[in-house]
Amino acid sequence: MSRLTVITGPSGVGKGTLVAQLLARHPEIWLSVSATTREPRAGELEGQNYFFLSREAFEQTVAAGGFLEWAEFAGNLYGTPRQPVEDCLAQGRPVLLEIELEGARQVRRSFPAAFQLFIRPPSLGELERRIRGRGTDSDAAIQRRLERARVELAAAEEFDATLVNDDLEVALRELEACMDLG
Ligand SMILES: Nc1nc2c(ncn2[C@@H]2O[C@H](COP(=O)(O)OP(=O)(O)O)[C@@H](O)[C@H]2O)c(=O)[nH]1
Ligand SMILES: Nc1ncnc2c1ncn2[C@@H]1O[C@H](COP(=O)(O)OP(=O)(O)O)[C@@H](O)[C@H]1O
């Protein structure tokens, strides 16, 4: 696989679900843990799902050059801590970033050799059902994610490959094939 892989796709498409299964099957892959100013959801753990930062602490990290990329999404800031990614790449370990569109565009400029994959939902209706079904977001947050989903879907052609997450097992096999994993 390419040393650095970026996975992007609208909120609720199943990125987290797919990535968790991919990592279970391929423990050699290192998944970057992002920083965010969003509130933790029930069950989310500091340092595991995200590093949860105040806006002030996040902005200080931006000023110090501590993020490889960062972006605002649905009213919150998200960023990839630079050092651990650079360390893993230096060690030759495959690195995976699961980030939104603006961040993927930044990585495209700074790491042109990265492999960029876009995950599509079967339909917008199914995307909304998944976000609502997950039951983690307020109505306002769901609306912001659905608005953003239209923008992200319109940018899918910018990516090296796209796949549809309809049947999870099929999508997982396609993901492995895209990443040259056996
Ligand atoms: N640019 C960027 N986007 C991120 C980062 N971490 C997560 N995201 C994206 O931020 C968006 C919102 O993530 P989250 O609040 O966890 O919501 P969810 O995608 O609905 O589960 C998703 O598209 C994530 O891929 C990051 O470090 N940088
Ligand atoms: N292939 C699939 N078919 C049906 N539901 C799915 C599928 N993949 C994921 N889901 C469900 O959709 C919801 C959103 O998935 P999640 O992984 O949280 O998305 P994302 O990380 O892209 O925001 C979750 O409830 C998850 O169980």
Side-chain angles (χ1 to χ4, degrees):
M1 65 179 276
S2 184
R3 283 280 167 76
L4 179 60
T5 302
V6 174
I7 294 186
T8 300
S11 175
V13 74
K15 300 180 298 298
T17 306
L18 278 166
V19 165
Q21 300 221 5
L22 185 77
L23 295 180
R25 291 202 205 184
H26 304 280
E28 73 278 13
I29 299 173
W30 184 78
L31 174 67
S32 166
V33 178
S34 298
T36 183
T37 63
R38 135 161 116 53
E39 290 294 315
R41 292 172 177 153
E44 284 186 331
L45 298 173
E46 167 71 18
Q48 194 166 317
N49 302 92
Y50 282 104
F51 297 103
F52 295 97
L53 299 186
S54 65
R55 201 165 253 265
E56 192 187 10
F58 192 102
E59 284 168 353
Q60 281 170 2
T61 309
V62 170
F67 292 126
L68 194 72
E69 61 72 36
W70 68 275
E72 181 147 10
F73 180 94
N76 294 299
L77 303 176
Y78 295 82
T80 302
R82 181 188 297 280
Q83 195 65 52
V85 173
E86 291 185 346
D87 290 349
C88 280
L89 290 174
Q91 289 159 16
R93 192 165 176 198
V95 171
L96 186 59
L97 307 183
E98 189 251 276
I99 61 178
E100 54 67 67
L101 177 64
E102 292 304 327
R105 286 174 169 159
Q106 291 170 44
V107 174
R108 206 173 292 150
R109 289 193 290 271
S110 51
F111 288 87
F115 178 70
Q116 297 220 334
L117 177 65
F118 190 89
I119 316 282
R120 292 174 177 278
S123 66
L124 275 175
E126 172 62 15
L127 183 68
E128 181 164 357
R129 270 191 293 283
R130 287 186 192 172
I131 301 180
R132 290 191 187 283
R134 185 168 65 183
T136 52
D137 303 289
S138 66
D139 269 352
I142 290 169
Q143 283 315 319
R144 284 196 295 271
R145 282 170 160 68
L146 288 172
E147 280 164 30
R148 194 64 205 160
R150 292 171 196 279
V151 175
E152 296 212 337
L153 287 166
E157 316 88 81
E158 294 174 18
F159 287 73
D160 296 315
T162 65
L163 66 83
V164 178
N165 180 22
D166 190 353
D167 181 279
L168 186 65
E169 189 57 34
V170 171
L172 193 55
R173 280 203 295 273
E174 287 178 3
L175 176 58
E176 289 178 320
C178 281
M179 292 175 70
D180 287 332
L181 298 164

